Amino acid sequence: MSAKGAGNEGKIETVEEHPLDHILRQDRLPHIWCPGCGLGSAMTCFAQAIERVDIPLKKQVLLSGIGCTGRIAGYVNVDSYHTTHGRAIPFATGLKIANPELCVTVFSGDGDLFAIGGNHFLHAARRNVDINVICVNNFNYGMTGGQQGPTTPVEAKTSTTRYGSFEHPFNLPYLAAAIGAVYVSRWTTLHCRHLEKSMEKALQKKGFTFIEIISPCPTGFGRPNKLGEGLEELRYYREKSVIKNDASWDELELHMRGEEPVVVGDFVDTERPTYLELEEQMLRAKGLMK
Amino acid sequence: MKYWRRPLDKNKIKTPKGHIYVIPDRCKGCGFCIEFCPKGVLEESKEINRKGYHLPKIADGKEDDCMNCDFCMLICPEFAIYTEEGE
Ligand SMILES: Cc1ncc(C[n+]2csc(CCOP(=O)(O)OP(=O)(O)O)c2C)c(N)n1
Ligand code: SF4
Ligand code: SF4
Ligand code: SF4
Ligand SMILES: [Mg+2]
């Protein structure tokens, strides 16, 4: 079929360009993600957000580690670095400290950020380094064949938990809030509009921000857990998700099965001096800086 | 649209109208735009693109229903659909 013309039963106009194309690296597209994967929706929301905020694209940097989610740093047309597995946060910390003018965002997967990279997350949040961390939580290691990870829900089947996982998974918003993130929110990829707004907010906010995006991975998680294809998983989010900004931390546990709700919202929005502000304060107090 | 109570400014406020565009060969037929359009404007067409996926099309009788809300654009994982303000 030709890409242009009155095709499509003459009912919808066909074109060759998209208004967000300039935010993406056209030479890298189409992306590698499976049909029904939520990563493309998450990337669209991010592309929209970085274009809408009042921060020039030249000052924005996007970093990621390894995994399907990690590919995002290669697709978005801003300065970026695709670090080794789990190391996007220390790279981001160094970048922000060396050049505080930059708006630094890490976009990566649950395995990358919370298994191999977990320690870096703890310390960047504790120090309140002024960076944004966006985690796509698809409850498994998508890229390497659907293994169990630190967010795999109890009883969920993965290629390494054939009888169902029995480990207690991380409750990511609770973790982020407990160690000092100044902004914490969670959305599913069906909550595009909320997600896009949260991203705008995080980009503009000073301090360590965290957004968890619950996303379908039909290949690694949806099929073994009878959540089906991407579309069916989004229907599940529509049915089970509840927006509750004042939810208790217990309510934010995710089960991804049965009648348990998927609670989403903006949970933390507070202020705390950042790493660089505290350093400056100390240097001034000791007369080491004028 | 049906209202359970007629808004006072119903005559003053115009619902925006949208014009829909697709980039056929980017679509992977996930159906997200079709399922979640709040106005039910889209349906799956019989036509397939170069990759063998069914594209969305405008459903019969829904030609004037798009309200340019942008939701299809945001949820499409493939940057394959968007809308602009129409007349
Ligand atoms: C040092 C190192 N260990 C292991 C791997 C193999 N590996 C690649 S991606 C990945 C996990 C990805 O999971 P996640 O971060 O959740 O990303 P997803 O693919 O689910 O988006 C692993 C273990 C690697 N690339 N490097
Ligand atoms: S394996 Fe999962 S996360 Fe990776 S592209 Fe496929 S659906 Fe997406
Ligand atoms: S812009 Fe909104 S109303 Fe129009 S087709 Fe897209 S989702 Fe439907
Ligand atoms: S959301 Fe995008 S990829 Fe999915 S069916 Fe619609 S146009 Fe095609
Ligand atoms: Mg993952």
Side-chain angles (χ1 to χ4, degrees):
Chain A
M1 203 197 84
S2 83
K4 216 180 175 139
N8 206 9
E9 298 164 35
K11 284 246 179 117
I12 207 162
E13 193 162 335
T14 64
V15 286
E16 289 187 43
E17 276 170 31
H18 188 281
L20 289 173
D21 277 355
H22 66 289
I23 308 277
L24 304 172
R25 296 187 193 168
Q26 293 307 319
D27 55 326
R28 297 289 186 95
L29 295 169
H31 59 64
I32 60 157
W33 299 317
C34 309
C37 174
L39 283 165
S41 313
M43 184 161 79
T44 313
C45 293
F46 186 70
Q48 180 76 269
I50 60 173
E51 201 202 38
R52 285 206 176 145
V53 292
D54 205 12
I55 306 167
L57 290 174
K58 281 219 158 305
K59 294 229 160 128
Q60 303 206 36
V61 185
L62 185 59
L63 309 165
S64 57
I66 306 297
C68 294
T69 312
R71 307 294 293 216
I72 281 184
Y75 295 139
V76 180
N77 195 15
V78 293
D79 282 345
S80 64
Y81 196 74
H82 194 175
T83 73
T84 49
H85 198 19
R87 310 303 172 214
I89 290 179
F91 191 97
T93 303
L95 203 56
K96 183 70 195 181
I97 289 168
N99 189 351
E101 295 271 279
L102 298 176
C103 173
V104 179
T105 303
V106 170
F107 209 128
S108 213
D110 46 86
D112 184 78
L113 288 167
F114 294 98
I116 190 168
N119 213 29
H120 302 304
F121 183 85
L122 299 184
H123 294 292
R126 175 181 65 79
R127 291 169 168 148
N128 199 23
V129 183
D130 184 10
I131 60 173
N132 314 302
V133 176
I134 301 173
C135 174
V136 173
N137 184 3
N138 53 21
F139 311 102
N140 79 110
Y141 295 172
M143 176 160 273
T144 45
Q147 293 87 351
Q148 180 201 33
T151 60
T152 304
V154 174
E155 287 192 42
K157 295 210 165 74
T158 68
S159 60
T160 48
T161 55
R162 310 296 293 203
Y163 307 107
S165 176
F166 52 84
E167 292 180 18
H168 186 84
F170 273 138
N171 173 337
L172 296 180
Y174 183 21
L175 174 70
I179 55 183
V182 293
Y183 178 70
V184 179
S185 77
R186 170 198 277 164
W187 302 104
T188 75
T189 55
L190 182 61
H191 294 87
C192 304
R193 222 178 288 285
H194 292 94
L195 174 59
E196 194 270 328
K197 288 282 164 245
S198 275
M199 286 171 167
E200 284 185 38
K201 196 155 191 190
L203 289 164
Q204 286 164 307
K205 181 141 183 119
K206 207 165 60 169
F208 187 92
T209 70
F210 178 64
I211 301 174
E212 176 185 14
I213 307 174
I214 295 171
S215 170
C217 167
T219 309
F221 192 78
R223 286 182 207 141
N225 289 291
K226 309 245 169 354
L227 285 167
E229 294 303 315
L231 182 59
E232 291 165 85
E233 190 161 337
L234 292 191
R235 285 186 186 130
Y236 173 84
Y237 299 162
R238 176 169 60 190
E239 210 180 296
K240 295 284 182 279
S241 63
V242 181
I243 299 178
K244 195 169 178 196
N245 297 337
D246 62 352
S248 73
W249 300 122
D250 278 351
E251 287 175 287
L252 297 181
E253 296 279 347
L254 290 171
H255 305 270
M256 305 311 286
R257 61 177 55 242
E259 290 311 304
E260 301 287 349
V262 176
V263 178
V264 296
D266 263 332
F267 311 120
V268 176
D269 190 355
T270 180
E271 312 285 332
R272 205 156 71 80
T274 66
Y275 180 83
L276 285 172
E277 286 168 351
L278 288 170
E279 185 196 34
E280 189 181 322
Q281 212 177 304
M282 182 275 289
L283 290 174
R284 283 187 198 286
K286 301 203 186 279
L288 298 165
M289 189 181 183
K290 267 177 253 148
Chain B
M1 198 191 276
K2 279 209 196 86
Y3 298 101
W4 64 272
R5 182 178 62 82
R6 201 181 154 80
L8 293 174
D9 53 4
K10 169 95 177 48
N11 301 326
K12 275 183 265 155
I13 305 290
K14 245 175 69 199
T15 319
K17 288 254 169 284
H19 189 82
I20 311 167
Y21 300 89
V22 293
I23 306 164
D25 287 335
R26 293 189 186 180
C27 175
K28 283 191 197 159
C30 65
F32 292 179
C33 58
I34 298 170
E35 174 89 11
F36 299 107
C37 166
K39 300 281 277 174
V41 172
L42 302 166
E43 66 182 22
E44 189 175 274
S45 89
K46 289 190 184 64
E47 193 173 340
I48 54 169
N49 67 7
R50 215 157 45 189
K51 297 176 189 157
Y53 294 113
H54 289 278
L55 303 167
K57 72 173 178 75
I58 301 174
D60 283 337
K62 300 281 186 170
E63 291 78 2
D64 296 323
D65 284 14
C66 169
M67 54 179 181
N68 198 31
C69 72
D70 261 3
F71 197 78
C72 51
M73 190 273 277
L74 279 176
I75 202 157
C76 173
E78 309 296 332
F79 293 83
I81 187 167
Y82 67 94
T83 59
E84 272 175 3
E85 206 176 312
E87 9 15 89

